[in-house]
Amino acid sequence: MLHDDIQAISAELSALHISGAEAAEQFRQTYLSKKGQITRLFERFREVAPEQRKEIGQLLNTLKQQAEGIWKEAKEKAEEEGGASSGFDASMPGYPSTVGNRHPLSLVANEIREVFARLGFTVAEGPEIEDDWHNFGALNFPEDHPARDMQDTFFVRSEKGLALRTHTSSVQIRMMEKGQPPFRMIMPGRVYRNEAISARAHCFFHQVEALYVDKNVSFADLKQTLLHFAQELFGADTKIRLRPSYFPFTEPSAEMDISCTVCGGKGCGICKYSGWVEILGCGMVHPNVLKNCNIDPEEYSGFALGMGIERIAILKYQVKDLRLFSQNDVRFLKQFSLEK
Ligand code: DAH
């Protein structure tokens, strides 16, 4: 009789003690699954005489609820207790918490800052939108100098002579205008030039400028500072070489090469088999520049230098494409160490 079978199973359920996720699942299969015992009892409901249907139907539903209650409780208890079979494996390694790292250009800029800080240089900054006077005029650029051309400079409001600064040398002027020597400072920042973007050129990049103005500053001071800087940044074996050059704001002017950091001077693809790579421009501050900032060139002299941070990063890390620095590809960016 179905009635008796229902009661027998109900009694059986009441006597059960289930513990653990596996036992809970076993229970579900035995009683509640498609082929489970309670499902089978439901199938036999068809045989029940009409006058008994109400009573048996109720009994069946109560039995099913009883079984479901037992199963749910057992399952929840197993999940609370944890354990591999609940799907939670306490022995699995956790997700590592990833920490960001500094941009390679920041790493290089910080390193440059540290080297100069040890020589007593402070850090100063100036605006990225500059007027003609600070970017060109005060720096002794003649009116018809090609750098003032639309093709090289991004003008913001050309009628007012406002442009995105093309170099950080403009900050030299801002600093000297508002103070009195001695000046011993570096000026890092972003600069802009109207160049087609390629692996070797970009419309914006970063520079660090250095300025030292005091009584009796000589070219020998410049040269020794440069040697020290190059060896601190690229290693004690690094050699430097100065080639005569021209900048409107320095006289005499020079460009500095360092012995190739990749081949050590023997010749390779990076240094185009010359053994040397150019890293910065420098010179003695032109007397006109000092005058433009109300500093007496008879009393004071100074040196200045400017370098591209990307260029140094490319040499230090052997990066082949300048565009990588601004594409924000994490796979590139996370290769640079956290230490510095
Ligand atoms: N301003 C120059 C440039 O952008 C770099 C430079 C050269 C800066 C010589 C200087 C310097 O201070 O003395 O190419």
Side-chain angles (χ1 to χ4, degrees):
M1 274 280 289
L2 185 53
H3 180 278
D4 295 342
D5 290 347
I6 293 173
Q7 297 218 312
I9 290 187
S10 176
E12 198 175 301
L13 294 187
S14 305
L16 278 178
H17 289 287
I18 306 168
S19 119
E22 259 170 63
E25 177 57 17
Q26 183 71 46
F27 174 87
R28 189 190 67 79
Q29 282 179 17
T30 312
Y31 295 101
L32 292 164
S33 70
K34 269 191 183 165
K35 289 184 184 157
Q37 293 192 26
I38 296 178
T39 319
R40 291 225 186 108
L41 292 182
F42 269 87
E43 281 162 10
R44 285 165 55 196
F45 188 65
R46 273 179 270 129
E47 305 156 10
V48 178
E51 63 276 14
Q52 283 188 318
R53 285 202 162 189
K54 192 172 170 206
E55 187 202 350
I56 298 288
Q58 271 174 2
L59 283 176
L60 270 175
N61 281 335
T62 314
L63 178 69
K64 194 175 174 196
Q65 280 166 13
Q66 184 190 0
E68 279 175 349
I70 292 172
W71 174 61
K72 272 196 193 130
E73 200 181 310
K75 201 172 75 150
E76 276 163 22
K77 212 170 131 206
E79 273 166 15
E80 266 170 35
E81 284 164 3
S85 51
S86 72
F88 176 78
D89 181 354
S91 68
M92 283 232 313
Y95 293 109
S97 55
T98 50
V99 188
N101 55 277
R102 291 209 192 286
H103 194 282
L105 295 180
S106 301
L107 293 175
V108 172
N110 285 345
E111 216 175 317
I112 296 171
R113 208 184 301 239
E114 280 166 21
V115 174
F116 278 100
R118 290 195 288 273
L119 296 176
F121 284 70
T122 55
V123 181
E125 283 181 11
E128 289 181 19
I129 298 178
E130 259 308 0
D131 52 43
D132 186 81
W133 172 250
H134 291 94
N135 198 70
F136 297 121
L139 286 160
N140 202 34
F141 278 77
E143 271 314 317
D144 57 355
H145 193 282
R148 293 178 172 225
D149 204 308
M150 282 283 217
Q151 274 157 4
D152 296 309
T153 305
F154 287 119
F155 285 94
V156 181
R157 285 228 185 131
S158 51
E159 76 280 6
K160 290 201 171 172
L162 287 184
L164 297 177
R165 68 180 175 196
T166 58
H167 53 184
T168 44
S169 302
S170 55
V171 192
Q172 288 186 32
I173 304 299
R174 291 205 169 263
M175 293 302 123
M176 287 195 283
E177 264 177 354
K178 65 174 193 195
Q180 276 300 311
F183 297 102
R184 203 192 288 160
M185 48 182 66
I186 61 164
M187 295 147 271
R190 182 174 286 183
V191 303
Y192 302 83
R193 284 182 203 174
N194 195 353
E195 303 240 17
I197 297 170
S198 71
R200 318 189 106 247
H202 212 295
C203 59
F204 67 79
F205 55 99
H206 301 81
Q207 290 187 330
V208 177
E209 193 85 10
L211 176 72
Y212 178 28
V213 177
D214 202 348
K215 289 180 177 153
N216 301 317
V217 177
S218 73
F219 201 92
D221 296 317
L222 170 59
K223 198 176 165 194
Q224 194 57 32
T225 306
L226 290 172
L227 178 65
H228 176 75
F229 169 72
Q231 293 185 338
E232 286 285 294
L233 212 67
F234 294 103
D237 299 336
T238 311
K239 295 184 192 61
I240 64 165
R241 155 175 110 168
L242 292 173
R243 281 179 291 103
S245 185
Y246 173 77
F247 301 102
F249 38 91
T250 44
E251 181 57 36
S253 305
E255 275 169 317
M256 180 174 93
D257 296 341
I258 58 166
S259 49
C260 180
T261 50
V262 177
C263 64
K266 288 192 200 81
C268 69
I270 299 278
C271 61
K272 301 203 191 81
Y273 300 95
S274 70
W276 298 95
V277 282
E278 183 197 321
I279 63 160
L280 56 79
C282 59
M284 301 306 292
V285 180
H286 196 293
N288 287 350
V289 174
L290 294 174
K291 271 188 233 159
N292 287 337
C293 302
N294 293 320
I295 294 167
D296 182 0
E298 301 294 329
E299 197 181 346
Y300 292 103
S301 57
F303 68 69
L305 59 99
M307 66 192 107
I309 302 181
E310 278 82 350
R311 181 147 184 81
I312 293 184
I314 279 175
L315 286 175
K316 259 187 108 70
Y317 301 123
Q318 292 175 39
V319 176
K320 297 251 154 58
D321 191 329
L322 199 61
R323 288 169 292 196
L324 286 165
F325 290 121
S326 50
Q327 277 167 341
N328 279 342
D329 185 335
V330 205
R331 291 167 304 176
F332 170 72
L333 296 175
K334 73 179 176 194
Q335 297 175 58
F336 302 91
S337 76
L338 249 181
E339 275 91 66
K340 286 275 169 76

